[in-house]
Amino acid sequence: MSTNNENAMQIGMVGLGKMGANMVKRLLAGGHHCIGYDVNSANVDAIIGAGADGVSSLTELAAKLPTPRIVWCMVPAGELTEATVKALGELLESGDVIIDGGNSFYKDDVRRSEALADKGIHYVDVGTSGGVWGVERGYCLMIGGPKATVDLLDPIFKTLAPGKGDIEPTPGRSSEPSTVEQGYAHCGPAGSGHFVKMIHNGIEYGMMMAYAEGFDIMRNANSKNLPENLRYDLNLTDIAEVWRRGSVVSSWLLDLTAGALVEDPDLAGYSGYVEDSGEGRWTVQAAIDEAVPAHVLTAALYARFRSRQQNTFSDKMISAMRKKFGGHIEKKLS
Ligand SMILES: O=C(CO)[C@H](O)[C@H](O)COP(=O)(O)O
């Protein structure tokens, strides 16, 4: 990525955890200027060490940014994002932009966007996929908000996204160049970015569950309850590896699974207590609102609830995948 970016922008980043700090690093590498803020001053020091500026309050951030101010919030969804957006709404002015890049509930975006519009502040919701690997691979971005603001932010999205890489456009697509081939899409008005990310994560639950169940069945194929001539001692690590090569079920989640199995074939280091951050529940709720049957996604959500009562190998596998793509550390059973 070039550091000579003629479209370089100044961005404030609020929240310098594993996602926010990595995004700052990718933006810096892309030639942008970043000013970071986090409640934890050690996180601010770390990004200063990486070449960004740091501040010790939102007020200082608002004072340091040139207008129109662009502030990207990368704090945990829910109360923290709500409080951060509210505080920024009081500090920023007409023409400024707040971007929520967390996993917020899309209806919260619609409400926030409308409230901030009264003050002339533009609000953009961005579903951000790529986890802890995004700093190198880039982040797939699903964007909601007013087109003019999304266009203004294009250099930022372009830098954060993976870029075209070696993935050819799907045959038959229009030859008109589009940002989707770069890994970022303007999905529609307020909330649409997080709506699409919510469904993305709902699908993620279902895919993870499908792998986890399949591997658990193979792991138990040597059960003493089976006829002796139908028992198989399968090497799951090798099967994950071979499926990565040309099979219909190859995917990045499978790559991560293969990595987890190489490190720990029994996944003994995982309890299998699988958390959820909300998107799966909201996906099921959206399916109910639209009367769309969503058997797999609903079952995958319920399996996570069940995992908190009794852990199977498949639960451990989902924990392993979440750790791999998102750096999520599972809660230990008491
Ligand atoms: O957005 C993500 C991946 O795409 C995050 O890692 C998210 O936390 C995963 O969802 P959950 O915590 O519910 O498993």
Side-chain angles (χ1 to χ4, degrees):
M1 207 182 311
S2 160
T3 46
N4 289 326
N5 185 345
E6 60 188 21
N7 298 313
M9 299 184 83
Q10 295 230 31
I11 309 131
M13 181 67 74
V14 180
L16 302 170
K18 57 193 179 214
M19 289 295 285
N22 276 349
M23 292 173 89
V24 166
K25 286 180 197 152
R26 193 167 170 90
L27 288 165
L28 291 173
H32 300 280
H33 178 221
C34 298
I35 308 178
Y37 168 68
D38 193 285
V39 284
N40 180 350
S41 62
N43 288 347
V44 179
D45 292 343
I47 61 128
I48 292 173
D53 276 339
V55 290
S56 55
S57 70
L58 290 179
T59 310
E60 201 186 334
L61 180 67
K64 253 194 166 168
L65 281 169
T67 53
R69 300 175 186 88
I70 296 165
V71 182
W72 188 300
C73 298
M74 213 59 206
V75 297
E79 283 174 22
L80 283 176
T81 295
E82 185 68 25
T84 305
V85 172
K86 186 166 181 285
L88 285 169
E90 283 157 17
L91 290 166
L92 302 189
E93 291 162 353
S94 181
D96 293 342
V97 181
I98 298 175
I99 305 155
D100 175 11
N103 274 334
S104 289
F105 184 41
Y106 70 100
K107 291 186 184 173
D108 289 338
D109 295 316
V110 175
R111 174 176 50 75
R112 287 180 198 137
S113 161
E114 288 169 359
L116 290 164
D118 292 342
K119 210 179 153 184
I121 298 172
H122 309 295
Y123 180 88
V124 174
D125 53 284
V126 181
T128 308
S129 182
V132 291
W133 301 74
V135 64
E136 285 159 27
R137 291 168 45 119
Y139 302 88
C140 174
L141 303 174
M142 298 145 259
I143 305 161
K147 185 173 179 330
T149 312
V150 173
D151 288 347
L152 170 81
L153 301 173
D154 188 77
I156 296 174
F157 298 139
K158 198 184 195 107
T159 298
L160 288 173
K164 194 166 164 240
D166 55 7
I167 306 175
E168 285 304 319
T170 303
R173 272 188 67 83
S174 146
S175 56
E176 279 291 299
S178 157
T179 68
V180 296
E181 287 146 17
Q182 305 287 324
Y184 61 108
H186 182 204
C187 302
S192 62
H194 279 147
F195 185 90
V196 174
K197 179 65 178 5
M198 170 186 84
I199 302 301
H200 167 283
N201 281 23
I203 292 170
E204 185 177 288
Y205 282 33
M207 288 175 68
M208 291 163 80
M209 192 72 214
Y211 285 121
E213 287 186 352
F215 276 89
D216 208 3
I217 296 168
M218 290 192 287
R219 182 178 158 85
N220 285 287
N222 61 359
S223 165
K224 300 233 171 342
N225 299 327
L226 296 168
E228 212 163 328
N229 64 341
L230 293 177
R231 285 184 208 159
Y232 304 108
D233 263 318
L234 299 173
N235 182 325
L236 302 191
T237 308
D238 281 354
I239 291 165
E241 190 63 24
V242 76
W243 282 357
R244 295 180 61 217
R245 291 150 209 290
S247 97
V248 168
V249 297
S250 59
S251 72
W252 189 50
L253 283 173
L254 182 65
D255 296 346
L256 299 175
T257 303
L261 287 169
V262 165
E263 284 167 15
D264 181 359
D266 293 321
L267 302 182
Y270 297 91
S271 72
Y273 184 113
V274 186
E275 295 265 22
D276 73 295
S277 310
E279 295 89 354
R281 298 176 193 222
W282 305 330
T283 297
V284 171
Q285 189 57 56
I288 293 167
D289 292 347
E290 297 171 17
V292 170
H295 306 280
V296 172
L297 309 194
T298 306
L301 172 68
Y302 284 10
R304 290 193 179 201
F305 298 160
R306 199 266 313 128
S307 81
R308 296 164 204 171
Q309 294 155 357
Q310 162 206 344
N311 301 129
T312 62
F313 184 75
S314 64
D315 298 329
K316 294 182 183 189
M317 189 165 277
I318 295 174
S319 276
M321 287 188 263
R322 290 180 75 248
K323 183 172 178 207
K324 286 282 171 194
F325 65 65
H328 300 290
I329 307 297
E330 63 180 9
K331 192 184 274 183
K332 293 291 170 208
L333 290 173
S334 49

